[in-house]
Amino acid sequence: MRKTIVAGNWKMNKTPKEALELIETLKPLVAGRDDVEVVFCPPFIDLMLAVEATKGTNIKIGAQNMYFEESGAYTGEVAPNMVKEAGCEYVILGHSERRAYFGETDETVNKKVLKAFEHELKPIICVGETLEQREQGITEDLVRMQTKIALKDVPAEQAVLAVIAYEPVWAIGTGKTATSVQAEEVCAAIRKVLCEIYDEETASKIRIQYGGSVNAGNAAELFAMPNIDGGLVGGASLKADFAKIVNF
Ligand code: PGA
């Protein structure tokens, strides 16, 4: 049985003070849902206080990115052991915004995934097509390739700890959600490729989230699909509404 995982990707929002306010608002609202894993992914600057503020609660903390080197002359980057020591359990890797604006490629995502596991961080690996790619009919090819490259050299016993987030780029921050049927179709294709890389048992253990304009109104239908094990939530994770998604 895969445990549903609902993660809030705060993106570049919330100062430390604002982060604490949001955490205090959400804490009681998401409490007591033992069947759902709840993860907040605030900006780096908020991570340590978010870990502190969520101690003893059901909320886990994740980073939105990290670098694949251990330390050194990489101005502006954050190393995996820093993310780990800050108290993070998860790290989002390969988000489409990082791919589009910061030159992230399938290869750098793979390097980061391997590093994350080395430091016992669980990666939330983002894959997904643009509108142009969907219209061209290459959605599944692309997502298969992104998934395969991201997991290159990752053994099955680590892969089961990873989360794959299927996030169609055209649905991110646009208010245009994929229909549950569209989302399920691609998530099922991802499950199939996981089965090809590993085996059926491994593939059946890996959680696949849908992301892209998830909100309190559409979460229940999306999460009810057989291959969708929760959501990666952007805009709606910054409001009390996030609790409604967790309590879908
Ligand atoms: P959105 O973002 O929910 O605002 O569409 C999702 C994401 O980018 O993870």
Side-chain angles (χ1 to χ4, degrees), residues 9 11 92 95-97 126 167 171-175 211-214 232-237:
N9 173 11
K11 308 196 180 184
I92 299 173
H95 189 280
S96 64
E97 285 148 19
C126 302
E167 297 207 306
I172 295 177
T174 57
S213 299
V214 173
L232 183 56
V233 185
S237 71

Side-chain angles (χ1 to χ4, degrees), residues 124-180:
I124 298 176
I125 303 166
C126 302
V127 298
E129 82 290 1
T130 62
L131 185 59
E132 198 186 349
Q133 289 162 332
R134 173 161 283 265
E135 284 170 349
Q136 219 187 320
I138 58 170
T139 298
E140 284 189 20
D141 304 285
L142 182 94
V143 165
R144 282 178 59 87
M145 191 174 83
Q146 289 174 327
T147 307
K148 272 196 159 173
I149 298 175
L151 291 171
K152 184 170 171 274
D153 298 330
V154 176
E157 62 270 23
Q158 289 183 331
V160 293
L161 301 170
V163 176
I164 312 287
Y166 166 55
E167 297 207 306
V169 179
W170 50 270
I172 295 177
T174 57
K176 231 167 115 180
T177 325
T179 64
S180 52

Side-chain angles (χ1 to χ4, degrees), residues 196-227:
E196 289 166 23
I197 306 171
Y198 302 103
D199 51 67
E200 207 157 315
E201 200 200 332
T202 306
S204 74
K205 288 182 184 159
I206 300 175
R207 290 174 297 176
I208 303 174
Q209 295 175 310
Y210 166 79
S213 299
V214 173
N215 59 44
N218 59 29
E221 189 185 331
L222 286 160
F223 301 173
M225 300 310 276
N227 285 291

Side-chain angles (χ1 to χ4, degrees), residues 8 18 29-30 42 63 72 79 101 108 110 135-136 150 161 189 201 233 246:
E18 292 165 347
L29 303 178
V30 301
Y101 309 141
T108 58
N110 175 240
E135 284 170 349
Q136 219 187 320
L161 301 170
E201 200 200 332
V233 185
V246 170

